[in-house]
Amino acid sequence: MVRKMSVPDMMFSVANYLFLSLLVIVTIYPFYYIFIYSISDSFEAQKGVYLWPAGFSLESYKTTIGLRGLPDAALVSLMRTVLGTIITVLSCSFFAYLITKHEMPLRRLIYRFVLITMYFNAGFIPWYLTMRAYGLQNNFLLYILPTALTGFYVILIKTFIEQLPQSLEESAKIDGAGYFTIFTRIIFPLSMPIIATIAVFAAVAQWNTWFDNFFLVEDPKLQTLQLVLYNFLNQSNSIANMTTQEMTQNAEARTMTPQSIRMTITMLVTLPIVLVYPLLQRFFVKGIMMGAVKG
């Protein structure tokens, strides 16, 4: 028997749906606005863009993608994101597994040292001197080695591993499996929900970071996409003037505005990492369910 909703309950449901719908619109619209502005005609977009593109033009994308050094920078960023994420996930997960073992000497002390790094930061100058002392200046390893072990990720993975049934590991030890075999065959596959979460965090951090590139890399072949686009973003006025002079076809001058260049650069930096989330969504859902149903 279906219970009929009372008037106060119905009013609350309507207000709740309206509030959540408004919240979704407020959250999504800024990104949507950047997207429709970037595919709008630059001259028409100056008059105002609200819900639909003002005209349709991909000239801003053609101009931005054709900028000098952009393909090489995109490849460096892609390699940094992929390799850095893989190394971070493997290093943090195996280290987190080791410090859960009571047989590991000084494991409590080592774990506390990891926790300290989350509360205290040496600052920019010691970081800069340390990176130079290790020979990471103008070196691709600068992008992947310093982030190989992150305290926050280690804590998350360690907490997840400690919730796994100990009987699985004990049965594997009876069959003669060592720590590495247990980790690769049992612990790592069962920890895939938290591993996927860490992978997303690490990939976003690697893709967005330009700080180390700005201070320690002078080689143009090692510059990342974020730094190159950041420089172009600061030069958007000159890029717009340059493209306005060059883009005269059939006696009709087309205008490339600095605003359209900025919107296009923002989309190029944001869109690739946004596409990663739907691919790993099922792992997030599985992780939530494993945390909710515990017997």
Side-chain angles (χ1 to χ4, degrees):
M1 182 177 179
V2 179
R3 186 176 67 89
K4 186 178 180 180
M5 293 183 61
S6 62
V7 176
D9 290 341
M10 186 177 299
M11 293 178 61
F12 175 79
S13 298
V14 172
N16 192 26
Y17 281 119
L18 290 176
F19 173 75
L20 292 177
S21 300
L22 180 62
L23 186 62
V24 170
I25 293 174
V26 171
T27 304
I28 296 179
Y29 182 75
F31 184 78
Y32 175 73
Y33 175 81
I34 295 174
F35 172 70
I36 62 177
Y37 199 109
S38 66
I39 63 174
S40 299
D41 183 86
S42 299
F43 181 75
E44 295 294 333
Q46 288 181 310
K47 301 178 182 179
V49 176
Y50 301 102
L51 295 178
W52 308 105
F56 179 77
S57 175
L58 296 177
E59 293 296 340
S60 57
Y61 282 93
K62 294 179 182 178
T63 301
T64 305
I65 294 175
L67 294 174
R68 182 180 302 176
L70 198 64
D72 294 337
L75 180 61
V76 172
S77 290
L78 180 62
M79 293 176 59
R80 169 183 185 160
T81 302
V82 174
L83 295 178
T85 302
I86 292 175
I87 292 176
T88 299
V89 167
L90 293 179
S91 301
C92 291
S93 58
F94 190 65
F95 180 78
Y97 170 68
L98 288 180
I99 59 179
T100 60
K101 302 294 102 185
H102 297 282
E103 298 85 355
M104 181 178 178
L106 302 177
R107 70 181 187 93
R108 294 182 180 272
L109 180 63
I110 294 174
Y111 184 61
R112 287 184 172 85
F113 272 114
V114 173
L115 295 178
I116 290 175
T117 62
M118 297 180 59
Y119 296 97
F120 298 96
N121 193 327
F124 170 73
I125 295 178
W127 170 83
Y128 181 81
L129 295 177
T130 302
M131 295 300 105
R132 292 195 60 180
Y134 281 120
L136 296 179
Q137 188 175 19
N138 290 317
N139 192 330
F140 181 79
L141 294 178
L142 169 69
Y143 299 144
I144 56 180
L145 288 185
T147 57
L149 202 64
T150 304
F152 178 63
Y153 302 159
V154 171
I155 293 174
L156 292 180
I157 300 174
K158 173 181 177 294
T159 304
F160 190 92
I161 292 176
E162 289 176 341
Q163 296 178 357
L164 297 177
Q166 292 293 328
S167 57
L168 296 174
E169 187 171 351
E170 293 173 357
S171 60
K173 288 181 179 180
I174 294 175
D175 293 335
Y179 288 121
F180 187 76
T181 302
I182 294 174
F183 173 76
T184 55
R185 299 290 183 88
I186 300 176
I187 302 300
F188 193 82
L190 292 178
S191 304
M192 196 55 63
I194 193 63
I195 294 298
T197 304
I198 298 303
V200 173
F201 290 161
V204 172
Q206 289 284 4
W207 181 261
N208 291 332
T209 301
W210 58 273
F211 183 82
D212 49 4
N213 189 188
F214 183 78
F215 287 102
L216 287 170
V217 177
E218 299 176 358
D219 188 355
K221 295 182 179 180
L222 289 178
Q223 289 186 346
T224 60
L225 179 65
Q226 285 65 33
L227 181 61
V228 171
L229 291 179
Y230 173 77
N231 294 331
F232 287 145
L233 190 64
N234 294 332
Q235 303 169 6
S236 57
N237 290 321
S238 60
I239 294 174
N241 294 332
M242 176 187 65
T243 55
T244 300
Q245 297 174 1
E246 295 178 353
M247 295 173 56
T248 304
Q249 299 177 354
N250 299 327
E252 180 183 359
R254 300 182 60 85
T255 303
M256 186 65 61
T257 63
Q259 185 69 5
S260 63
I261 295 294
R262 294 190 188 100
M263 295 297 183
T264 305
I265 290 176
T266 304
M267 283 300 303
L268 289 176
V269 173
T270 307
L271 191 59
I273 202 64
V274 169
L275 297 178
V276 174
Y277 283 93
L279 299 177
L280 299 176
Q281 183 180 5
R282 62 188 183 94
F283 292 106
F284 286 108
V285 176
K286 183 178 179 182
I288 294 174
M289 294 301 296
M290 289 184 65
V293 182
K294 186 175 180 181

